[in-house]
């Protein structure tokens, strides 16, 4: 699917404008929550053979800080137990919460509104005791459903097409799960969540000493065929709202292949496999949001040529004294619901968090994305000891500076904070108490002003989408989601807590920065500080309900 007339780009940019909240109105949504139609958060394929995964993540003895040191973790052999750990840490449950009779699950990969539109898949070669094929991951029960069995010649061809020691992990989105609550803006949130999941998979792979990289030449048609998302009969009972839209395939690699050794997605191999399973219906009825279908079609990715892998900069890394267990930290990650308006962090911790947002060779999660940074940060500093409160800007790639600085307000200071490491391109734009303004631009949410700092993610936007195609719209949001996942884990490691803020006044933040037009656009907000725990909620272990 190509877009020679540019129609897809125009539709996508129009969707982006249409779904911006404004100070006096919000993007079109349902107006209320129809609890009778709340989507089931767990997809199942009835009739697909279920293969239980062991719960082994607690047995890892890996330090969180070592995830960021290339080569620090010896790679585990590819086997069933390691695959189980990968999915447990990437897409598995982290806890159950309960209030009265209501009970809901939390997962290692965060989601807007805890609605979880993202589904996970795997293409596995034959492993001891496990048949080659295509599998769907069920986080609730930590098992893989075998959607497609490859036997005989097909299994042999897969072992040839997939290099030894590798598997494919796939992601898809069910837009209705987010649209049920957020209406037209839901497509944005699904892309955020896909980015969070991409990063979660990369971190889980790193904990096993493996790499994971996005295979970015394949089309969405390829992905739909590979994971069985285009099998209409298997989705006949779910209705249009229950269908899954292909997002991404990641090559999970135990051996450290060179980019020229990365395979193409072997979608044609599964056509001759034996498929099983019928998708469950998620809601008895569903509201129709035609603009989501329109932008999903407009951003449908065609096959593209492989781009030469860019060289990631050899930046110095700030030392990490964090000795927390990686698996424990990943599973304890939470989205805070409120911040105390009092907790501060020191400037060294703040700089260390920014440092983790920079790409380096062989270091997760940024080595999973085959493109340089396209998103930079406008930061509201509130309570960082050793740094004056005010508005700052963090450039994640120095190449943006000559275009960005003239686009921002001429009156900004552009001074470097004293003592800031040279490789961190952090600039003070203005010194002031901006707590009220940070709250205002994040849809009047106090959580944006009650933390140590909050930020808006500013994408190199309009020119990127026009030059590369409408499908790049999704990738910009994925990058924002990856940023969010890094910040989630960094907050936990620092003894505080963070949360993504999906509701923000895009153009109010643009006005604050002085941005005009669509060359740069705000795609996501985030805040970090001291959490206020809701003592009314009970917490339960993630898999206590399993009999294994």
């Amino acid at each position: 699917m190509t877009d020679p007339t540019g129609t897809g780009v125009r539709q996508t940019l129009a969707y982006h404008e249409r779904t911006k909240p404004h100070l006096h109105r919000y993007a079109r949504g349902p107006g209320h929550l129809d609890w009778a139609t709340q989507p089931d958060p767990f997809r199942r394929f009835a009739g697909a053979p279920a293969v239980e995964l062991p719960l082994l993540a607690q047995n890892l003895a890996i330090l969180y800080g070592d995830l960021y040191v290339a080569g620090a973790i010896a790679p585990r052999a590819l086997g069933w137990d390691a695959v189980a750990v990968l999915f447990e840490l990437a897409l598995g449950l982290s806890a159950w919460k309960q209030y009265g009779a209501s009970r809901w699950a939390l997962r290692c990969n965060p989601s807007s509104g805890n609605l979880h539109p993202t589904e996970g898949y795997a293409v596995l070669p034959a492993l001891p005791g496990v048949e080659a094929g295509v599998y769907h991951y069920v986080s609730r029960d930590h098992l893989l459903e075998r959607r497609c069995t490859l036997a005989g010649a097909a299994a042999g061809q897969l072992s040839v097409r997939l290099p030894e020691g590798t598997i494919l992990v796939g992601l898809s989105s069910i837009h209705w799960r987010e649209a049920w609550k957020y209406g037209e803006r839901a497509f944005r949130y699904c892309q955020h969540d896909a980015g969070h999941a991409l990063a979660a998979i990369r971190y889980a792979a790193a904990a096993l000493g493996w790499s994971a990289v996005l295979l970015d030449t394949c089309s969405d048609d390829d992905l739909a065929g590979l994971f069985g998302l285009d099998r209409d009969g298997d989705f006949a009972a779910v209705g249009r709202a229950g269908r899954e839209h292909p997002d991404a395939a990641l090559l999970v690699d135990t051996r450290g292949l060179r980019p020229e050794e990365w395979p193409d997605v072997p979608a044609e191999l599964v056509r001759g496999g034996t498929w099983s399973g019928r998708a469950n219906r998620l809601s008895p009825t569903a509201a129709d949001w035609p603009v989501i279908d329109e932008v999903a079609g407009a951003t449908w990715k065609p096959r593209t040529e492989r781009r030469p892998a860019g060289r990631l900069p050899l930046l110095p890394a700030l030392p990490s004294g964090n000795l927390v267990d990686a698996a424990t930290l990943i599973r304890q990650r939470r989205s805070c619901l409120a911040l105390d308006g009092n907790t501060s962090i020191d400037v060294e911790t703040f700089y260390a968090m920014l440092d983790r947002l920079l790409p380096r060779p062989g270091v997760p999660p940024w080595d999973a994305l085959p493109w340089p940074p396209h998103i930079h940060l406008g930061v509201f500093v509130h309570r960082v000891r050793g740094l004056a409160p005010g508005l700052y800007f963090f450039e994640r790639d120095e190449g943006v500076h000559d275009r960005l600085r003239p686009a921002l307000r001429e009156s900004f200071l552009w001074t470097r904070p004293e003592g800031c490491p040279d490789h961190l391109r952090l600039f003070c734009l203005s010194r002031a108490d901006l707590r009220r303004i940070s709250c205002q631009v994040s849809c009047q949410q106090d959580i944006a002003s009650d933390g140590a700092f909050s930020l808006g993610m500013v994408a190199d936007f309009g020119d990127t989408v026009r030059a590369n195609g409408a499908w790049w719209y999704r990738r910009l949001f994925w990058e924002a989601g990856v940023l969010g996942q890094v910040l989630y884990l960094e907050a936990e490691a620092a003894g505080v807590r963070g949360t993504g803020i999906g509701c923000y006044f895009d153009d109010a933040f643009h006005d604050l920065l002085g941005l005009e037009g669509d060359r740069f656009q705000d795609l996501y907000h985030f805040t970090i500080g001291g959490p206020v725990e809701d003592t009314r909620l009970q917490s339960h272990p993630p898999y206590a309900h399993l009999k294994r």
Side-chain angles (χ1 to χ4, degrees):
M1 182 182 297
T2 59
D3 184 26
T5 65
T7 301
V9 168
R10 289 194 296 273
Q11 289 176 328
T12 300
L13 297 180
Y15 167 82
H16 187 73
E17 285 297 316
R18 172 178 177 144
T19 55
K20 290 180 176 180
H22 296 276
L23 292 174
H24 303 294
R25 68 168 176 83
Y26 287 85
R28 185 168 175 259
H32 69 285
L33 296 182
D34 181 2
W35 296 105
T37 64
Q38 183 179 16
D40 187 334
F42 300 109
R43 164 123 294 165
R44 296 298 301 262
F45 285 91
V51 188
E52 294 181 348
L53 295 167
L55 293 161
L56 300 171
Q58 71 275 9
N59 297 333
L60 285 181
I62 303 298
L63 297 179
Y64 171 68
D66 286 345
L67 299 180
Y68 296 96
V69 180
I73 301 171
R76 305 289 180 99
L78 179 60
W80 192 240
D81 286 356
V83 169
V85 171
L86 178 77
F87 277 95
E88 184 180 352
L89 290 182
L91 305 177
L93 302 189
S94 58
W96 288 87
K97 293 290 185 178
Q98 184 169 347
Y99 178 70
S102 297
R103 183 180 170 96
W104 60 95
L106 306 181
R107 306 190 199 186
C108 292
N109 58 309
S111 169
S112 305
N114 199 42
L115 297 172
H116 289 286
T118 309
E119 294 292 325
Y121 289 83
V123 179
L124 302 178
L127 298 172
V130 181
E131 296 181 73
V134 180
Y135 291 79
H136 169 254
Y137 180 63
V138 182
S139 61
R140 183 192 181 279
D141 299 311
H142 191 49
L143 57 81
L144 288 171
E145 298 174 311
R146 191 168 69 247
R147 290 277 288 124
C148 177
T149 303
L150 297 176
Q157 291 174 13
L158 179 65
S159 67
V160 172
R161 291 287 298 277
L162 274 184
E164 183 181 355
T166 67
I167 65 173
L168 296 180
V169 175
L171 297 173
S172 67
S173 290
I174 301 174
H175 299 148
W176 165 240
R177 283 205 183 117
E178 292 287 339
W180 170 78
K181 181 176 181 180
Y182 296 115
E184 291 186 347
R185 197 170 166 87
F187 186 77
R188 294 187 180 209
Y189 297 156
C190 289
Q191 309 315 313
H192 284 154
D193 285 4
H196 284 299
L198 282 167
I201 292 166
R202 179 63 188 99
Y203 276 118
L208 294 161
W210 300 348
S211 67
V213 64
L214 178 68
L215 295 178
D216 208 31
T217 62
C218 53
S219 69
D220 285 347
D221 285 326
D222 293 332
L223 298 182
L226 180 64
F227 301 121
L229 309 183
D230 60 354
R231 296 179 58 81
D232 292 341
D234 295 354
F235 290 88
V238 306
R240 186 173 64 179
R243 292 299 295 260
E244 299 178 31
H245 293 251
D247 284 330
L250 291 96
L251 177 72
V252 176
D253 173 22
T254 70
R255 299 169 50 210
L257 297 176
R258 299 185 302 276
E260 58 269 22
E261 298 176 295
W262 296 344
D264 288 326
V265 169
E268 74 283 357
L269 294 185
V270 305
R271 299 293 183 187
T274 302
W275 286 84
S276 58
R278 296 292 184 269
N280 61 320
R281 191 174 185 90
L282 304 179
S283 299
T285 60
D288 191 23
W289 298 99
V291 72
I292 293 180
D293 294 334
E294 180 180 285
V295 72
T299 58
W300 194 267
K301 184 185 180 297
R303 282 195 65 85
T304 51
E305 294 296 323
R306 179 172 292 172
R307 299 184 180 189
R311 288 183 174 271
L312 294 177
L314 295 172
L315 299 172
L318 297 183
S320 173
N322 195 293
L323 301 180
V324 68
D325 176 75
T328 298
L329 187 140
I330 288 171
R331 291 181 298 166
Q332 80 179 36
R333 182 217 61 81
R334 302 285 186 271
S335 297
C336 55
L337 301 178
L339 297 176
D340 60 19
N342 183 56
T343 299
S344 63
I345 62 173
D346 58 60
V347 70
E348 290 78 15
T349 298
F350 177 70
Y351 289 153
M353 290 180 178
L354 296 184
D355 184 67
R356 292 278 161 83
L357 304 180
L358 297 176
R360 294 181 173 88
V363 175
W366 300 109
D367 61 340
L369 302 185
W371 62 78
H374 280 64
I375 294 184
H376 314 274
L377 309 182
V379 186
F380 296 102
V381 170
H382 303 312
R383 300 172 183 86
V384 176
R385 300 188 301 275
L387 197 61
L391 179 63
Y392 292 74
F393 206 93
F394 180 55
E395 297 176 348
R396 297 178 55 240
D397 185 335
E398 65 179 358
V400 76
H401 183 80
D402 289 343
R403 290 181 296 111
L404 178 70
R405 182 165 180 171
L408 268 59
R409 290 193 182 280
E410 187 177 357
S411 59
F412 283 151
L413 300 174
W414 290 97
T415 58
R416 298 271 290 147
E418 184 177 355
C420 181
D422 291 341
H423 71 285
L424 297 180
R425 295 184 58 81
L426 180 69
F427 300 90
C428 178
L429 301 184
S430 65
R431 298 184 185 91
D433 181 348
L434 297 177
R435 287 175 294 178
R436 181 183 61 81
I437 293 176
S438 67
C439 171
Q440 183 183 58
V441 300
S442 287
C443 289
Q444 310 287 1
Q445 296 179 81
D446 291 338
I447 201 167
S449 57
D450 285 345
F453 68 95
S454 62
L455 57 87
M457 302 184 189
V458 179
D460 205 333
F461 182 79
D463 293 347
T464 298
V465 173
R466 292 186 184 92
N468 295 327
W471 54 275
W472 252 87
Y473 181 74
R474 292 157 59 194
R475 276 145 181 79
L476 292 175
F477 277 93
W478 294 358
E479 184 177 335
V482 174
L483 279 163
Q485 188 70 357
V486 179
L487 290 169
Y488 267 120
L489 296 184
E490 283 296 290
E492 296 288 341
V496 287
R497 186 148 286 171
T499 193
I501 301 174
C503 183
Y504 49 88
F505 295 127
D506 309 47
D507 288 340
F509 190 57
H510 298 155
D511 291 343
L512 177 68
L513 293 173
L515 292 172
E516 298 178 351
D518 69 2
R519 192 173 196 182
F520 297 98
Q521 289 283 286
D522 184 15
L523 298 190
Y524 196 15
H525 283 205
F526 205 91
T527 186
I528 287 176
V532 177
E533 301 294 343
D534 190 339
T535 58
R536 300 172 300 170
L537 302 183
Q538 295 178 312
S539 294
H540 304 283
Y543 290 111
H545 60 285
L546 299 183
K547 306 299 182 183
R548 64 179 190 267

